[in-house]
Amino acid sequence: MRGGAIPVLAWACLLAVLMTGNAVWTGDAIQIGEYGFAVLTIVLVAAALVRADRTAIRRGAPEAPSRPRVEASPDLSFAAVLAAIALASILFGLTWAYFLVYFGAGLLIMSLGRLALELQAARASRERFERGSPPERPERERLP
Amino acid sequence: MDAGLSLSSHGAASLLHATPSGLIDTRSQYQHVFDIYVPIAIGVFALFVLATLLAVIIYRRRPPERAARWYEHDRLEAGYALLLSCVVAFLLYITLTAEHRVDTVSARERPQLVVNVTGSKWEWHFNYPAYGIDLYTGTVGHQDLVVPTGETVRFRLASLDVIHAFWVPQLRYKHDLIPGSIQNSTLTFSRSGLFAGQCAEFCGLFHSTMVFNVRALSAAEFTAWAQRQQATGGAGA
Amino acid sequence: MSATAPSVSTVSRASGLFGAAASTDHKRIGLNMGLASLLFFLGAGVMALLMRTQLAQPHVRFVSDQTYNELFTMHGSTMIFLFVTPMAMALATYLVPLQIGASSISAPRLALSAFWIWLSGGIIMQLGWLTEEGAGRSGWFAYVPLSNSANTPGVGQDLWTVGVILAAGGLTIIGGCVLATIARRRAPGMSMMRMPVFTWTGLVSVLMVVGSFPVVILAMSLLYAERLGARVFIGYSGAIDYQDLFWFFGHPVVYVMFFPFLGAAAEAIAVNAHKRWFGYAAFVASMLAFAALSMSVWSHHMFTTGGVTNQYFATTSTALAVPAGIEYFDMVATLIGGAILLRTSMLFALGFFLQFLIGGLSGIFVASPVLDYHAEDSYIVVGHFHYTLFAGSVFGFFAGVYHWFPKVTGARLREGLGKLHFVLLLVGTNMTFLPMFFLGNDGMPRRIAEYPNHPGWGTLNLLETVGAGVIALGVLAFLVNVVVSLRNREVAGEDPWLGHTLEWATSSPPPRHNFERPLPPITSYAPLLDLRERAQRDASAVRVPAGRGGRGPWPQEGAP
């Protein structure tokens, strides 16, 4: 969207200036490395924004699109919760009880399966919406 | 100036031992910077409290329609930023010159005394290589670190296990003891007396007990003490 | 693209516990994160009270040294990883989409996942209390070699390390979601230079999160490997490298814990002064500079190690005074000429600015290596960061709570109890943290379970302990206020304070997709104030008295 990447890039430039100061003044490899990581990450964020939408680098306000963009947004996602708990139980299992690593891996697979179902449902309801028929469970199919 | 300050405070005995380059006294350096920073800070705080309270009192309880509509003055803010930058530059000048004296100039001085300070969980070991004296605090004993006043003392700081920090509040100075390194701190005691010292970096279970005392003696007394120590093999500490 | 992107519900909406736990609504996620971190705050407060009891007098043996070390480690870790930082992110998650007129957050599944990852990390960290060797106990920055398995054995420290990895990971992800939302989901007309002040503070915060939090995940993973037996941080350079890695996160996080609360206090001040925030462009520029500088000061925590270039970090740290000064200038200039109402949110916001000033000025003090050689690891530093984080951020947080509680719940908090809460907290905070500067200058180190009976130390410490009790009473008054206000609701309406920003242009609480009516025209960073001013100028104002609820005063149809 218009302008979104500009402050990100501006900030990366400020950081790069400070990084240069640090490199000249201290010459400390690990500090330059850390700065470098931060600058690179922020530049990559800006690049991703520009890649997603060219106008992100142009000044100005976002305009209303000529055709409403349809976006399927989930109300609930058990996949997301399961994945988080799976990750936590793997790490917890490493410290305390190894069987939790397997339990977590199992949960992770379940959450991926669940995610596939969720994405499929999302696609289906978006297609239904675009065809003009109401979604299965109409919640708020029309927002202003 | 610093040499003058520290010399004037402890008399003739130390005059004989003073190096020509002068002594860097961390306590007076701290006080020098403190005396500039703290009044400015208090002034700025008072200014903002006053401005805020006045604004609140004057503009309280007016109908919302009467609120002013102006909301920008970039030139004023740029000027303010410039003023702040000048203050920052001034503070940095004060700080960096003092830091230069404390860290760089003092390190160049030829020390009259070298003390090896070794920290380990929860003990201090002070070794005087020139005299062959070893002092311990902690489970081994409670011996004071003894130093001469008015002389440059180089502390060579080392640690056997985790990071400790050698802090003598009287000197307004501390430095870390990091395993795998020997760090040098060159310090001067300008006053005689008994001072507290302690480990300042958290070092595990009994961190709070890792304390020691510093006994600062005049140069003559120190020499006498050192000779007594050498004669008795450390028993008379 | 809120107003133009119709959203379709693809999964049935479950009600009750499951619905609240698995909702991808940014408001629900933000609220869950806020409530969970509030619970952690209460826990950390209990830890603080236990420590203050031990320190009430010299040589009190209320808890063992081991327990004391666990208490200060977990108090600090809980406050930083589990309360102030996540609360900052929770505020941003809840408010940013509303303020920029978006219908939802970007990547809602990731945001939901992030909340649960963070919460699991918090729980895992606290599980250490149940282990035989006790909870994490090598300080919140867990320096090596103290934190390795030889010097701090036990599962509790492992759990702490893993907990930090998960908590920081969750915070990074949710920060990324907020960043994407700001960049991609602004409503038509909402240019970057029309974003509300709070959103800007949120934006610079999440930029810092994305740039610095991954480094602590790396540091903690390496520490974890070290604890498993790998030799990662070897000798002197290992110790310095760990500190460099930790503080590269550890200092920016301090500002992540500050900026959103600065934004909250700024919004509260502007709304309660009925005047838009002064010097918006300068404020935005100074926030960007502030954030970049605060990514560049981390080694001032290492002045006494002899392993970093002190001059560089003294320079960057002192330079922070410039952008910070701009913010204070803007605050005072916003007040001047305003129509000021001293509601509780306003009191907390003013308390935030003035008390944080003590933290900030003492920060300039410790930014000077010569002064820091004395202040480092003493109670001066403890006083300094409690003035920034407690007297600052926590006051800013409460300003935000009183300001946005009506939006979130539809009910207002009681003003009487609120003012009691404010006074108790103000008195308690200064009683607790002001004496720390004197104790520190007199030579009291931080993190000691017991202190010697030097002249004055017992009295000052007792004063601090009593102050901590007063803070606890203040927090109690807040909890009572919340319960009373929710039980016996004073209906707020959608815009009880004559708000400036878009979140006040929708119902309270906002509907699932935030806005059901067309958004008012977005003409500046205070679009609702623009409308009111224009209406006033046109002499056709629909007067809404201050403090009364009701629909927004903008023309509902045919907006210009």
Side-chain angles (χ1 to χ4, degrees):
Chain A
M1 292 302 124
R2 274 181 174 278
I6 295 174
V8 180
L9 265 183
W11 197 65
C13 291
L14 277 176
L15 216 51
V17 169
L18 286 158
M19 173 176 140
T20 313
N22 180 279
V24 170
W25 205 332
T26 75
D28 184 325
I30 191 162
Q31 297 195 343
I32 300 167
E34 288 171 318
Y35 260 127
F37 166 80
V39 173
L40 190 70
T41 308
I42 302 299
V43 168
L44 284 179
V45 167
L49 291 174
V50 175
R51 200 187 135 84
D53 189 335
R54 284 291 178 82
T55 62
I57 198 72
R58 274 181 229 141
R59 291 173 55 126
E63 294 148 12
S66 47
R67 219 165 60 88
R69 204 159 53 96
V70 178
E71 170 186 282
S73 81
D75 266 336
L76 293 174
S77 176
F78 288 105
V81 179
L82 276 181
I85 291 172
L87 185 66
S89 77
I90 289 172
L91 280 177
F92 183 53
L94 283 176
T95 61
W96 183 70
Y98 208 70
F99 73 92
L100 282 176
V101 177
Y102 300 109
F103 175 73
L107 272 186
L108 199 60
I109 292 166
M110 272 175 66
S111 80
L112 289 178
R114 173 80 199 176
L115 183 66
L117 287 177
E118 284 181 20
L119 292 178
Q120 199 181 22
R123 198 172 55 237
S125 72
R126 192 166 56 231
E127 280 166 3
R128 257 198 314 280
F129 181 83
E130 276 168 348
R131 279 202 308 273
S133 50
E136 230 166 52
R137 275 175 282 252
E139 288 287 350
R140 300 192 191 287
E141 73 265 40
R142 285 208 64 82
L143 274 172
Chain B
M1 179 201 88
D2 309 299
L5 263 179
S6 51
L7 283 178
S8 65
S9 60
H10 47 77
S14 56
L15 255 179
L16 301 171
H17 296 266
T19 50
S21 63
L23 302 171
I24 302 299
D25 177 354
T26 46
R27 186 185 168 89
S28 65
Q29 292 297 330
Y30 176 90
Q31 204 58 43
H32 165 65
V33 180
F34 185 99
D35 288 345
I36 293 166
Y37 269 59
V38 172
I40 293 179
I42 291 173
V44 169
F45 180 69
L47 191 73
F48 272 102
V49 170
L50 206 67
T52 306
L53 289 183
L54 274 180
V56 168
I57 291 166
I58 294 172
Y59 299 104
R60 248 189 102 180
R61 290 178 194 267
R62 309 198 306 170
E65 302 83 41
R66 284 194 55 204
R69 299 282 174 86
W70 48 264
Y71 54 86
E72 228 165 19
H73 202 304
D74 288 345
R75 287 246 284 294
L76 189 65
E77 292 211 78
Y80 181 64
L82 197 67
L83 174 76
L84 283 175
S85 308
C86 293
V87 174
V88 165
F90 169 68
L91 293 180
L92 278 173
Y93 170 74
I94 299 296
T95 278
L96 294 180
T97 47
E99 194 263 354
H100 179 73
R101 286 194 285 266
V102 168
D103 288 339
T104 313
V105 176
S106 73
R108 278 194 221 120
E109 280 182 47
R110 204 167 51 81
Q112 256 80 17
L113 175 70
V114 173
V115 182
N116 293 318
V117 177
T118 309
S120 58
K121 280 195 284 192
W122 307 291
E123 297 181 351
W124 295 95
H125 171 200
F126 305 109
N127 165 256
Y128 297 69
Y131 299 93
I133 302 172
D134 287 288
L135 304 173
Y136 298 90
T137 74
T139 48
V140 186
H142 290 283
Q143 292 165 304
D144 298 342
L145 164 65
V146 181
V147 290
T149 56
E151 291 189 349
T152 348
V153 185
R154 176 149 305 153
F155 293 95
R156 306 180 75 230
L157 309 170
S159 166
L160 296 182
D161 39 40
V162 300
I163 303 175
H164 303 278
F166 175 79
W167 184 24
V168 183
Q170 167 74 16
L171 291 183
R172 306 287 187 262
Y173 184 86
K174 76 170 65 65
H175 199 86
D176 290 359
L177 284 61
I178 302 176
S181 73
I182 294 175
Q183 310 257 336
N184 288 321
S185 288
T186 310
L187 302 170
T188 307
F189 290 81
S190 54
R191 267 199 280 166
S192 54
L194 191 65
F195 311 122
Q198 59 236 313
C199 173
E201 186 69 65
F202 177 65
C203 57
L205 188 56
F206 295 121
H207 166 60
S208 62
T209 66
M210 196 167 158
V211 296
F212 60 95
N213 284 323
V214 189
R215 190 141 46 93
L217 306 173
S218 70
E221 286 172 329
F222 176 80
T223 315
W225 170 83
Q227 281 163 358
R228 216 164 46 241
Q229 284 290 307
Q230 283 174 310
T232 59
Chain C
M1 295 312 302
S2 70
T4 49
S7 289
V8 188
S9 297
T10 56
V11 181
S12 65
R13 193 182 303 190
S15 51
L17 209 59
F18 274 127
S23 169
T24 50
D25 182 350
H26 71 94
K27 299 184 289 299
R28 189 73 243 175
I29 299 170
L31 200 57
N32 285 349
M33 200 156 186
L35 289 174
S37 46
L38 206 56
L39 286 179
F40 284 122
F41 171 59
L42 297 180
V46 170
M47 296 177 211
L49 288 176
L50 293 175
M51 280 189 285
R52 281 313 324 167
T53 310
Q54 166 96 346
L55 295 175
Q57 285 290 291
H59 307 303
V60 174
R61 305 305 316 181
F62 175 66
V63 294
S64 67
D65 285 49
Q66 159 103 4
T67 309
Y68 185 87
N69 297 343
E70 289 168 37
L71 282 172
F72 76 69
T73 299
M74 294 302 286
H75 168 78
S77 311
T78 305
M79 287 302 277
I80 284 164
F81 295 109
L82 308 180
F83 171 57
V84 189
T85 317
M87 186 58 87
M89 288 298 117
L91 276 180
T93 305
Y94 193 102
L95 289 168
V96 160
L98 283 163
Q99 287 204 321
I100 60 174
S103 63
S104 60
I105 194 169
S106 288
R109 282 194 187 86
L110 267 183
L112 172 64
S113 219
F115 162 69
W116 282 100
I117 291 172
W118 163 80
L119 183 63
S120 316
I123 292 170
I124 287 173
M125 190 193 285
Q126 302 295 339
L127 280 178
W129 291 108
L130 305 178
T131 62
E132 204 178 335
E133 303 91 345
R137 57 184 186 287
S138 41
W140 83 274
F141 38 78
Y143 279 173
V144 290
L146 178 66
S147 56
N148 68 19
S149 51
N151 289 306
T152 308
V155 180
Q157 187 70 29
D158 289 336
L159 291 173
W160 180 90
T161 314
V162 166
V164 172
I165 293 175
L166 286 167
L171 293 168
T172 313
I173 297 170
I174 209 159
C177 294
V178 172
L179 178 56
T181 309
I182 293 174
R184 295 184 49 79
R185 300 181 90 86
R186 281 166 292 123
M190 180 66 78
S191 69
M192 294 307 273
M193 287 308 277
R194 286 181 193 156
M195 294 198 311
V197 170
F198 174 81
T199 298
W200 262 108
T201 60
L203 173 59
V204 296
S205 302
V206 296
L207 282 173
M208 295 170 72
V209 167
V210 170
S212 73
F213 280 31
V215 177
V216 81
I217 299 175
L218 172 70
M220 287 301 137
S221 307
L222 292 176
L223 174 60
Y224 191 63
E226 174 102 13
R227 290 186 61 78
L228 290 178
R231 300 276 287 136
V232 184
F233 298 109
I234 300 164
Y236 174 72
S237 64
I240 298 290
D241 289 350
Y242 175 85
Q243 295 187 19
D244 254 326
L245 287 175
F246 186 88
W247 290 116
F248 191 77
F249 146 84
H251 206 84
V253 72
V254 171
Y255 289 83
V256 174
M257 293 189 283
F258 165 55
F259 290 148
F261 301 107
L262 170 71
E267 299 272 9
I269 282 182
V271 169
N272 283 306
H274 299 96
K275 189 160 163 273
R276 72 191 65 210
W277 184 252
F278 180 86
Y280 178 79
F283 180 84
V284 167
S286 78
M287 284 309 292
L288 286 170
F290 210 159
L293 270 176
S294 61
M295 292 280 286
S296 310
V297 299
W298 75 93
S299 284
H300 67 211
H301 296 267
M302 301 159 66
F303 278 162
T304 61
T305 61
V308 293
T309 309
N310 289 0
Q311 295 89 344
Y312 175 82
F313 291 98
T315 305
T316 51
S317 308
T318 311
L320 282 172
V322 179
I326 298 285
E327 260 96 77
Y328 275 86
F329 188 93
D330 292 349
M331 186 269 289
V332 174
T334 305
L335 291 174
I336 293 174
I340 296 170
L341 274 178
L342 286 181
R343 297 188 185 106
T344 309
S345 58
M346 184 64 157
L347 293 175
F348 272 108
L350 294 172
F352 163 87
F353 273 100
L354 294 183
Q355 295 188 124
F356 186 89
L357 193 51
I358 300 179
L361 292 167
S362 59
I364 301 299
F365 180 92
V366 293
S368 165
V370 180
L371 300 174
D372 190 63
Y373 292 156
H374 183 54
E376 171 79 3
D377 284 319
S378 80
Y379 261 84
I380 296 180
V381 166
V382 181
H384 156 65
F385 66 69
H386 279 97
Y387 262 99
T388 61
L389 287 176
F390 196 89
S393 298
V394 172
F395 273 66
F397 158 67
F398 281 125
V401 169
Y402 282 88
H403 188 61
W404 281 302
F405 192 87
K407 181 48 62 188
V408 175
T409 63
R412 285 197 233 184
L413 285 166
R414 295 287 192 277
E415 279 294 305
L417 273 168
K419 280 169 182 159
L420 176 71
H421 168 205
F422 171 74
V423 169
L424 285 172
L425 215 59
L426 185 78
V427 170
T429 298
N430 290 293
M431 261 174 90
T432 309
F433 303 120
L434 200 59
M436 289 182 174
F437 292 114
F438 300 97
L439 281 168
N441 200 41
D442 208 23
M444 181 162 164
R446 71 194 281 203
R447 300 181 161 179
I448 50 170
E450 193 176 357
Y451 57 91
N453 193 9
H454 289 320
W457 285 23
T459 318
L460 287 176
N461 272 294
L462 187 62
L463 194 66
E464 288 177 15
T465 302
V466 175
V470 178
I471 291 176
L473 285 179
V475 174
L476 193 67
F478 168 68
L479 296 177
V480 170
N481 197 355
V482 170
V483 172
V484 168
S485 305
L486 288 178
R487 278 272 174 89
N488 197 350
R489 298 166 75 92
E490 281 176 8
V491 176
E494 61 184 41
D495 184 14
W497 321 126
L498 296 178
H500 293 180
T501 41
L502 290 181
E503 75 270 27
W504 304 107
T506 185
S507 62
S508 305
R512 168 67 179 90
H513 290 288
N514 293 348
F515 300 96
E516 290 186 334
R517 293 191 313 264
L519 293 171
I522 298 161
T523 40
S524 78
Y525 60 97
L528 303 197
L529 188 62
D530 288 346
L531 279 170
R532 271 196 298 274
E533 287 181 356
R534 195 177 314 138
Q536 223 173 302
R537 212 166 40 233
D538 297 350
S540 59
V542 186
R543 286 272 170 83
V544 180
R548 292 279 173 277
R551 296 169 70 80
W554 58 87
Q556 286 303 317
E557 281 154 80

